[in-house]
């Protein structure tokens, strides 16, 4: 068994239903270590990159609108990085099947997810499905400084004349 990292997103349906605490409690059953956490307003660009592999699916546009928060009018997701032995499988077990109707009722998606009449899986959470996906997704959602340890190799760059917001 290898030490793995995994990206978990509590999607907008999870936030609007106030399920964040429940989800984190359930994730803690996997006995992993939390490495990063933040609330993100998802841009269309980020949504498309995250679901790149599904762009030919008929439900792609609905999926993008769902993760961006357009469906639930709540424009935020909670992004979490966990690390530990066999992290990807352990988290996927707690999270459950992609389709909430097929998910084990005691899994997060089985307990809290639903399928809309239009056939969209509102399944509350995302969890990485392989080590390759996890690396791609963690690098997409987090900067190195937002994670408590360098999970992947980093490099230092110097950026000149970059505009940045600071507190006024
Ligand atoms: P997972 O989120 O379990 O890794 P996935 O990567 O195949 O599943 O798909 C990403 C999301 O797309 C999934 O959480 C919900 C949606 N989705 C997948 N298959 C679907 C389908 N057949 N109908 C509707 N939504 C689907
Ligand atoms: Mg997936």
């Amino acid at each position: 068994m290898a030490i793995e990292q995994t990206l978990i997103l509590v999607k907008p349906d999870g936030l609007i239903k106030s399920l964040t605490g429940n989800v984190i409690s359930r994730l803690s059953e996997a006995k992993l270590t939390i490495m990063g956490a933040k609330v993100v307003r998802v841009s269309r660009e980020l949504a498309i990159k995250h679901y790149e592999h599904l762009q030919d699916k008929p439900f792609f546009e609905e999926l993008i609108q769902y993760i961006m928060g357009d469906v639930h009018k709540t424009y935020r997701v909670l992004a979490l990085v966990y690390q530990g032995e066999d992290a990807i499988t352990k988290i996927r077990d707690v999270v459950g099947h992609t389709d909430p109707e097929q998910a084990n009722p005691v899994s997060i998606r089985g307990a809290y997810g639903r399928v809309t009449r239009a056939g969209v899986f509102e399944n509350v959470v995302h969890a990485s499905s392989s080590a390759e996906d996890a690396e791609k997704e963690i690098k997409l959602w987090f900067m190195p400084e937002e994670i408590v340890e360098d999970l992947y190799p980093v490099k230092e760059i110097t950026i000149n004349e970059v505009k940045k917001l600071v507190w006024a």
Side-chain angles (χ1 to χ4, degrees):
M1 279 196 288
I3 299 292
E4 294 173 335
Q5 294 79 34
T6 183
L7 177 88
I8 294 131
L9 304 174
V10 183
K11 300 183 187 181
D13 53 326
L15 293 192
I16 201 148
K17 293 174 175 173
S18 297
L19 292 172
T20 308
N22 305 49
V23 168
I24 291 175
S25 295
R26 295 301 312 278
L27 295 176
S28 69
E29 291 167 19
K31 305 263 183 267
L32 302 169
T33 307
I34 191 162
M35 304 300 281
K38 65 174 176 174
V39 180
V40 183
R41 178 160 184 157
V42 181
S43 66
R44 196 173 170 85
E45 189 193 356
L46 175 58
I48 288 172
K49 277 191 188 151
H50 180 77
Y51 284 129
E52 215 164 36
H53 60 293
L54 298 170
Q55 50 191 326
D56 298 330
K57 301 283 184 194
F59 55 82
F60 184 68
E61 185 54 33
E62 282 85 354
L63 193 58
I64 296 303
Q65 286 175 14
Y66 164 36
I67 196 75
M68 287 179 69
D70 285 341
V71 174
H72 298 88
K73 304 291 171 223
T74 181
Y75 300 98
R76 47 183 59 69
V77 308
L78 178 66
L80 306 163
V81 177
Y82 281 80
Q83 176 175 270
E85 219 165 75
D86 233 358
I88 291 166
T89 307
K90 282 181 183 161
I91 291 289
R92 293 282 299 192
D93 284 350
V94 177
V95 162
H97 194 281
T98 305
D99 177 351
E101 285 189 356
Q102 289 188 51
N104 186 327
V106 305
S107 67
I108 294 172
R109 286 168 166 177
Y112 302 123
R114 67 168 195 147
V115 182
T116 68
R117 268 199 201 141
V120 176
F121 298 168
E122 290 187 359
N123 56 15
V124 188
V125 290
H126 165 83
S128 306
S129 48
S130 67
E132 296 70 43
D133 282 358
E135 178 171 349
K136 182 195 146 212
E137 292 169 2
I138 291 167
K139 289 177 173 175
L140 182 62
W141 288 81
F142 286 83
M143 297 296 288
E145 72 221 26
E146 295 174 315
I147 298 178
V148 294
E149 286 169 30
D150 291 337
L151 300 179
Y152 308 107
V154 294
K155 63 177 180 186
E156 212 170 47
I157 58 165
T158 306
I159 303 169
N160 292 318
E161 294 181 42
V162 169
K163 282 191 186 165
K164 196 176 173 181
L165 283 186
V166 295
W167 302 118

